Amino acid sequence: MIKYAIFDLDDTLLDFKRGEQEGLTKIMTKYGVSDLKQGFDTYTKINHQVWEAIEQGQARDALLNTRFSKAFDLLGIKVDGATVEAEYRNSLDTNFYKLQGVDELLSDLKAAGVHFTSRN
């Protein structure tokens, strides 16, 4: 009998892509990005480079605090990277969009006696 289930929330239980899109739209609109497609494309390129560097062992927080300043620089907008990163993280932390079928899955697991716990 299965007693415990472990899930990664992003794109397993929660719709991370939707939350990310909404967060980026809010940030880019706030800081005056007029062409959102260009803004998303630029951010995506920089974000990919940042995560590659993190995966290679470079300092995570320092890199994350520069991804918006680097992307916005390419868009001709000056921002404080750490401030925008904090705003973006706050937006992601309020993403409660569940993927289709999640409620049923969790109800079925609970009915089967699977225990749930959370870990930060």
Side-chain angles (χ1 to χ4, degrees):
M1 171 201 252
I2 298 174
K3 288 185 167 186
Y4 298 95
I6 299 171
F7 293 99
D8 173 47
L9 291 176
D10 294 341
D11 293 328
T12 303
L13 300 178
L14 297 179
D15 188 346
F16 177 79
K17 288 178 181 66
R18 180 176 174 188
E20 178 184 42
Q21 184 80 15
E22 285 186 7
L24 288 173
T25 299
K26 183 188 301 183
I27 291 293
M28 291 192 184
T29 301
K30 177 180 178 177
Y31 288 97
V33 175
S34 57
D35 183 342
L36 291 180
K37 183 183 179 334
Q38 179 187 16
F40 293 140
D41 291 347
T42 302
Y43 169 81
T44 299
K45 178 182 173 186
I46 297 297
N47 190 48
H48 181 73
Q49 293 169 355
V50 164
W51 281 104
E52 280 184 346
I54 291 168
E55 289 168 2
Q56 293 172 3
Q58 294 185 36
R60 181 181 188 272
D61 289 342
L63 286 166
L64 291 176
N65 283 335
T66 64
R67 64 182 169 173
F68 283 102
S69 57
K70 289 178 180 179
F72 277 68
D73 276 349
L74 292 172
L75 297 167
I77 301 169
K78 299 291 180 202
V79 298
D80 179 81
T83 298
V84 179
E85 178 67 23
E87 291 172 359
Y88 177 65
R89 287 271 161 207
N90 185 52
S91 178
L92 287 180
D93 289 347
T94 60
N95 169 23
F96 297 109
Y97 301 112
K98 294 181 275 187
L99 292 170
Q100 184 175 355
V102 166
D103 289 329
E104 295 82 7
L105 170 67
L106 295 177
S107 292
D108 290 349
L109 289 172
K110 186 174 181 179
V114 176
H115 300 279
F116 296 94
T117 186
S118 64
R119 198 178 105 186
N120 292 336

